[in-house]
Amino acid sequence: MPTTPIDAKTVLDVDPWLEPNAPSIVHRHNAFRKWRDTIEQNEGGYDSFTKGYLKFGLHVRDDGELVYREWAPNAKEAALIGDFNNWNRTSHPMVKDSFGVWEITIPPKEPGVCAIPHDSKIKISMITPSGERIERLPVWIKRVTQDLSVSPVYDARFWNPPQSERYQFKNARPPQPRSVRIYEAHVGISTNEYRVGTYKEFTAHMLPRIKDLGYNTIQLMAVMEHAYYASFGYQVTNFFAASSRYGTPEDLKELIDTAHGMGITVLLDIVHSHACKNVLDGLNQFDGTDHQYFHEGGKGRHELWDSRLFNYGHYEVLRFLMSNLRFWMEEYQFDGFRFDGVTSMMYVHHGIGTGFSGGYHEYFGDNADIEAIVYLMLANDAMHELFPSCITIAEDVSGMPLLCAPVSKGGVGFDYRLSMAIPDMWIKLLKHKSDDEWEMGNIVHTLTNRRYKEKSIAYAESHDQALVGDKTLAFWLMDKEMYTNMSDITEYTPVIARGIALHKMIRLLVHSLGGEGYLNFEGNEFGHPEWLDFPREGNGNSFHYARRQWNVVDDPLLRYKYLNEFDKAMNHTEEKYGWLAAEPAYVSLKHEVDKVVVFERAGLLFVFNFHPSQSFTDYRVGVEEPGEYHVVLSSDEKRFGGFENVLPGGQYFTTPMEWNGRKNWLQIYIPTRTCIVLGKN
């Protein structure tokens, strides 16, 4: 059945300001419809089209027979080689069909026993039209391993464990969270020790921490295999292989299943914006051409990332990428994706040297990469159709309108966008402004400046800030005193007192005002004391900074525990009251002299005093709902490293008289650098 077209009215119902650009959006949607209808006609729909991983790659039938298929249209000859045939280039030739797909069927060694041993090495050997012999790792391979003592180049492994060793999922996916509170994590750095952490360790040690802190969603970085550890996972070589640095595919399945058993949703950081340029163990020049999966020439290369760019207008590339999404959802039971580098995909300039002012003319016309945007529409449409509870998040700095509107309304179809302007704002403030120069109006504007009905995920600091050469918020706030004055038996210096106070306030302000979801990068919840620097030549291949120092938050003598406790309380309070899922906040006060911000959301009253030295007694604040209020959360509690000037609980009664545009007011004591949340029950 043909996909329903849209008209300009459908677009303008979402956002009337899009009127000049409505024809571009309808045109974009028509391109999407054409692809969707083509897939319907050729394959019967998304369900079949996204199962490419069941057709391509290596598959063992019940009787032990093995079938291997690979799309390599340029190759003139192809053969499967490996440990199983002593790397003989002639004993296992493959046959090519009219679509450029090579195939071989290998009979079982004996009934029910595959001829290729489990976890043994394999490759595809090909001859190009020029007569050159090239050897590559199978594109759809599920496991590759690296032995750096031999070579940095990966080996492909045939992953086919006996039934008894295959992980069996026990837990159903949790329902989609009402409010997403995301813990962004990297398995390799999730250990105190000077080495790469494992999936099994993450399952045993990190999942209970994340659950205790009140996060209900994990976003796993660097899972898709990447040749260079220091790339943070963003130079993917093998799109269907879970990184072997951290363990086996079965170990990753256990991690996700265990998280599901705890009620935690697990998202994959998916990299479809570009691919590593490696030839020997990547996709680049797989069949000897420059243009198989990618655009040829300059269009197929990213200047800044030094990587290859996909040709999203090619049928087989779409099959590959959409099947990749389906594979991670089916094989590993991920619950959705954070799409990396969406800005780079959506614009022909890839965002390089471009500042986005928010003017609608920047998003449409010649700047837009229609093929890439249509791929994102297809990906979102397919995943939400096949997996209704799937969550998709866009990493987009541009602010593209309709990015998080449904495809049926002319949107790109994401569930959330990352509010990338928020962490940038905090860096600029801490770097360039003294505390008394902070402008409450600008802070509030940045936190609330989002498209209505398009959901955003707010975060105070990004994982990039944790990297060497940059600074986390904790480092900006406390710097070298983190090494000398973070113990309870040392002086509570002005620098540390300010740092701990503002770290809590910034996080709660972002959490409660900045979006419909919240994200934290692991370790930042307790003000991790050092940056992140992966082993590389420049640091003598040291693991010293490529790990998270849980020992400092677990040490009862150190003050990191206060920040950790506040993070936990913040998440659990949100779980109870649900402000992330509520309508955006009503801000009733942004006082530039007092440095006070007041707003209401989800029936709660939030009061922040950013003044560096002044506390306010009997401070009058407006509130819409009358009644008796009490403190449900205060950053000033002793357990959060505060001074206990605000008593938990307490009674605050409203007076029925208009104040700051609200129908009632109440009076509170709000100490310097303190935030409090008042509720009625």
Side-chain angles (χ1 to χ4, degrees):
M1 206 171 97
T3 313
T4 312
I6 63 163
D7 56 20
K9 184 183 179 303
T10 308
V11 175
L12 300 182
D13 284 347
V14 181
D15 183 353
W17 293 99
L18 283 168
E19 187 167 9
N21 306 109
S24 296
I25 296 164
V26 171
H27 169 71
R28 185 174 82 182
H29 193 267
N30 286 340
F32 156 77
R33 282 198 306 123
K34 191 175 176 185
W35 265 119
R36 179 164 172 153
D37 292 345
T38 301
I39 291 166
E40 184 77 38
Q41 287 155 19
N42 293 350
E43 312 271 344
Y46 288 143
D47 185 45
S48 170
F49 187 62
T50 57
K51 284 179 177 170
Y53 62 93
L54 296 178
K55 175 187 175 184
F56 292 95
L58 296 109
H59 298 281
V60 182
R61 294 178 173 149
D62 290 343
D63 63 358
E65 185 178 73
L66 180 134
V67 180
Y68 170 47
R69 294 188 190 93
E70 195 75 74
W71 176 58
N74 184 55
K76 291 300 171 205
E77 288 181 33
L80 182 61
I81 60 174
D83 292 336
F84 76 100
N85 66 0
N86 293 317
W87 304 92
N88 185 320
R89 291 165 170 164
T90 56
S91 63
H92 289 77
M94 300 176 73
V95 178
K96 184 182 184 181
D97 71 10
S98 58
F99 297 103
V101 176
W102 294 88
E103 182 174 332
I104 185 173
T105 301
I106 302 175
K109 191 175 176 183
E110 55 189 76
V113 179
C114 182
I116 302 182
H118 164 56
D119 213 23
S120 63
K121 295 178 187 177
I122 51 166
K123 275 186 182 177
I124 180 171
S125 182
M126 293 173 280
I127 293 179
T128 67
S130 68
E132 181 191 5
R133 182 175 288 280
I134 57 174
E135 285 168 358
R136 304 286 189 256
L137 307 194
V139 168
W140 304 70
I141 197 76
K142 294 177 186 173
R143 180 167 169 81
V144 295
T145 58
Q146 186 184 45
D147 184 351
L148 286 170
S149 66
V150 177
S151 161
V153 178
Y154 272 89
D155 293 309
R157 301 276 188 168
F158 174 54
W159 191 252
N160 182 37
Q163 206 60 43
S164 60
E165 291 174 23
R166 293 184 186 196
Y167 188 80
Q168 302 297 321
F169 287 93
K170 304 170 187 69
N171 300 300
R173 299 178 196 272
Q176 195 179 94
R178 172 185 67 159
S179 305
V180 288
R181 299 183 300 273
I182 303 172
Y183 197 84
E184 184 183 24
H186 180 293
V187 170
I189 64 168
S190 300
T191 173
N192 286 343
E193 296 177 32
Y194 294 77
R195 57 176 176 80
V196 178
T198 68
Y199 295 125
K200 281 198 168 291
E201 289 168 336
F202 193 96
T203 304
H205 306 307
M206 289 301 299
L207 292 183
R209 252 183 221 279
I210 294 165
K211 175 74 174 168
D212 180 59
L213 281 167
Y215 290 94
N216 57 21
T217 307
I218 298 169
Q219 184 176 298
L220 280 184
M221 303 175 71
V223 167
M224 301 167 81
E225 192 59 271
H226 46 291
Y228 186 41
Y229 191 43
S231 76
F232 222 163
Y234 291 121
Q235 291 276 347
V236 174
T237 44
N238 311 94
F239 283 74
F240 291 83
S243 182
S244 59
R245 287 180 179 85
Y246 325 125
T248 69
E250 312 312 305
D251 295 343
L252 176 57
K253 290 174 186 176
E254 181 185 31
L255 186 164
I256 295 165
D257 192 35
T258 307
H260 286 168
M262 295 175 161
I264 298 172
T265 294
V266 189
L267 307 179
L268 175 66
D269 197 342
I270 197 105
V271 186
H272 281 182
S273 47
H274 65 133
C276 179
K277 70 174 186 181
N278 284 14
V279 172
L280 295 179
D281 51 9
L283 278 181
N284 193 15
Q285 297 177 32
F286 178 78
D287 68 355
T289 64
D290 191 40
H291 59 264
Q292 185 187 356
Y293 285 95
F294 310 111
H295 287 292
E296 61 188 328
K299 192 179 179 185
R301 285 167 172 78
H302 196 291
E303 289 171 37
L304 289 186
W305 297 344
D306 194 25
S307 54
R308 297 302 315 265
L309 297 171
F310 286 105
N311 178 359
Y312 302 106
H314 195 293
Y315 193 88
E316 288 304 327
V317 176
L318 288 182
R319 185 201 303 278
F320 172 76
L321 292 171
M322 291 169 72
S323 296
N324 190 233
L325 296 171
R326 176 82 179 264
F327 169 81
W328 291 106
M329 293 289 287
E330 294 274 19
E331 183 84 5
Y332 287 96
Q333 299 285 300
F334 277 99
D335 302 296
F337 305 97
R338 178 262 200 189
F339 279 73
D340 174 67
V342 165
T343 307
S344 173
M345 295 172 75
M346 294 196 298
Y347 305 98
V348 291
H349 50 63
H350 308 303
I352 299 171
T354 307
F356 290 93
S357 67
Y360 279 20
H361 64 282
E362 296 167 338
Y363 304 117
F364 305 101
D366 294 342
N367 286 337
D369 188 328
I370 298 298
E371 287 181 348
I373 295 168
V374 166
Y375 163 64
L376 292 170
M377 293 167 75
L378 288 163
N380 278 306
D381 193 49
M383 289 307 105
H384 288 111
E385 182 180 299
L386 296 167
F387 306 95
S389 65
C390 176
I391 296 170
T392 59
I393 302 169
E395 188 214 21
D396 169 46
V397 74
S398 76
M400 162 77 79
L402 304 183
L403 186 67
C404 299
V407 173
S408 60
K409 290 185 164 57
V412 185
F414 284 99
D415 295 301
Y416 298 91
R417 62 161 24 105
L418 287 170
S419 292
M420 298 175 77
I422 296 175
D424 291 347
M425 172 194 71
W426 292 118
I427 293 176
K428 283 175 190 157
L429 278 178
L430 293 170
K431 212 173 176 178
H432 303 297
K433 304 261 188 185
S434 62
D435 294 3
D436 56 359
E437 291 177 315
W438 288 19
E439 294 174 12
M440 298 299 109
N442 280 351
I443 292 171
V444 168
H445 174 74
T446 304
L447 286 165
T448 55
N449 182 25
R450 54 190 187 270
R451 298 186 188 280
Y452 187 58
K453 295 293 184 189
E454 290 195 48
K455 293 190 285 190
S456 293
I457 288 173
Y459 52 125
E461 52 190 328
S462 73
H463 60 236
D464 289 335
Q465 280 170 256
L467 291 168
V468 68
D470 208 333
K471 285 184 177 183
T472 61
L473 291 186
F475 243 154
W476 279 118
L477 288 162
M478 295 177 276
D479 214 0
K480 62 181 184 294
E481 288 203 20
M482 294 184 82
Y483 295 104
T484 57
N485 287 81
M486 281 301 271
S487 167
D488 271 333
I489 55 177
T490 60
E491 183 195 352
Y492 206 18
T493 63
V495 168
I496 295 295
R498 168 184 177 263
I500 285 178
L502 288 179
H503 196 273
K504 292 179 292 188
M505 292 181 74
I506 288 169
R507 297 182 108 65
L508 182 61
L509 188 65
V510 170
H511 203 307
S512 54
L513 190 61
E516 290 70 38
Y518 176 76
L519 178 142
N520 165 68
F521 177 64
E522 66 173 316
N524 287 350
E525 68 276 11
F526 63 84
H528 197 278
E530 286 179 334
W531 55 86
L532 187 62
D533 189 15
F534 287 89
R536 55 189 173 83
E537 259 181 61
N539 63 17
N541 289 314
S542 167
F543 277 93
H544 183 81
Y545 296 111
R547 59 198 180 96
R548 298 275 91 177
Q549 297 177 46
W550 307 110
N551 48 300
V552 301
V553 72
D554 293 341
D555 187 335
L557 283 178
L558 298 184
R559 291 175 171 139
Y560 298 100
K561 65 176 187 266
Y562 299 136
L563 300 178
N564 198 66
E565 273 303 303
F566 185 73
D567 204 72
K568 178 177 169 179
M570 186 170 70
N571 282 324
H572 285 285
T573 307
E574 195 288 325
E575 174 65 24
K576 181 176 178 182
Y577 293 97
W579 61 68
L580 288 168
E583 285 291 302
Y586 182 92
V587 183
S588 61
L589 184 65
K590 299 166 279 191
H591 203 295
E592 299 298 353
V593 177
D594 295 346
K595 304 294 178 201
V596 172
V597 174
V598 180
F599 58 90
E600 293 148 82
R601 194 174 184 190
L604 297 173
L605 178 64
F606 294 81
V607 185
F608 291 77
N609 177 10
F610 280 99
H611 202 288
S613 58
Q614 260 193 293
S615 300
F616 300 104
T617 310
D618 293 334
Y619 199 85
R620 189 176 287 192
V621 296
V623 64
E624 192 70 8
E625 292 295 319
E628 178 190 323
Y629 286 77
H630 63 272
V631 177
V632 297
L633 183 63
S634 160
S635 65
D636 194 45
E637 287 185 48
K638 263 281 194 280
R639 64 189 173 124
F640 306 142
F643 299 97
E644 223 150 51
N645 290 319
V646 176
L647 292 175
Q651 289 179 307
Y652 301 84
F653 296 97
T654 57
T655 298
M657 178 180 151
E658 190 176 324
W659 192 259
N660 290 341
R662 310 311 273 157
K663 290 177 181 168
N664 304 276
W665 56 259
L666 49 79
Q667 286 179 318
I668 55 169
Y669 171 53
I670 180 76
T672 172
R673 291 195 182 122
T674 296
C675 52
I676 61 173
V677 185
L678 301 173
K680 287 171 72 175
N681 50 35

